[in-house]
């Protein structure tokens, strides 16, 4: 009996464990990110993604129905992970300029991330091919970053530290000042993304310019002159 039990235990230990679907999707999305980035959308096949992920084509199709869904899922997953730990509400300094600098650095780290820029390039390339990839990228990425910054600005307005007529517009303007020019230069001019010190200097300038126009107590005094 002891021998039989030992054999049964060994058989149980030898059975391959079933990987959860969520974990398998992560492997597939990671493989897809490398394939799309290296080969572009058109040249990437489901078979090469499955091979890189170490899964069968049948398994991939069971979880993700087609290449368009794979691309959209990969982009959405990357942005979800990038934005998962963004909590601008936790940024709190006695000085509003320091607080704004910290909030804008968090946004800049996302907006000027090399992988996010690479995803934007792919999205632009495939805008005419896939129906809503650009819209999905805008909603899941750009809009979510702007919404997080708008929520943070709204808190500062309630605290009486700044005065704004339209918080959403202000958030868009701030993000534009911080990231639009460097992002365009990288995407269309093959210019290297700014270094960390360069981003910090740009953010510091943008924060100062912004606060000159909306810091509580200073805005009204300028308007009365």
């Amino acid at each position: 009996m002891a021998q039989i039990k030992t054999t049964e235990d060994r058989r149980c230990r030898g059975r391959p464990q079933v990987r959860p679907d969520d974990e398998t999707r992560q492997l597939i999305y990671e493989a897809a990110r490398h394939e799309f980035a290296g080969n572009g959308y058109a040249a990437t096949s489901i078979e090469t993604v499955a091979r890189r992920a170490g899964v069968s084509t049948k398994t991939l199709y069971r979880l993700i129905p087609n290449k368009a869904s794979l691309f959209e899922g990969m982009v959405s997953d990357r942005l979800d992970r990038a934005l998962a730990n963004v909590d601008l509400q936790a940024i709190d300094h006695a000085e509003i300029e320091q607080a704004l600098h910290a909030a804008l650095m968090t946004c800049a780290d996302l907006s000027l991330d090399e992988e996010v820029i690479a995803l934007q390039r792919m999205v632009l390339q495939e805008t005419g091919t896939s129906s809503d990839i650009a819209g999905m990228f805008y909603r899941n990425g750009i809009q979510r970053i702007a919404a997080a910054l708008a929520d943070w600005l709204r808190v500062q307005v309630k605290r009486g530290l700044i005065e704004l007529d339209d918080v959403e517009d202000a958030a868009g303007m701030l993000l534009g000042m911080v990231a639009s020019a460097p992002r365009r230069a990288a995407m269309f001019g093959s210019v290297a993304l700014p270094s960390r010190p360069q981003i910090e200097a740009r953010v510091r300038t943008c924060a100062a310019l912004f606060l000159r126009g909306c810091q509580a107590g200073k805005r009204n005094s300028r308007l009365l002159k």
Side-chain angles (χ1 to χ4, degrees), residues 49-68:
V49 172
R51 188 160 51 248
R52 178 183 277 269
V55 303
S56 68
T57 304
K58 181 179 178 180
T59 296
L60 194 152
Y61 275 122
R62 179 176 65 81
L63 297 174
I64 303 167
N66 51 53
K67 188 163 77 168

Side-chain angles (χ1 to χ4, degrees), residues 41-56:
Y41 184 88
T44 296
S45 69
I46 291 290
E47 290 74 18
T48 58
V49 172
R51 188 160 51 248
R52 178 183 277 269
V55 303
S56 68

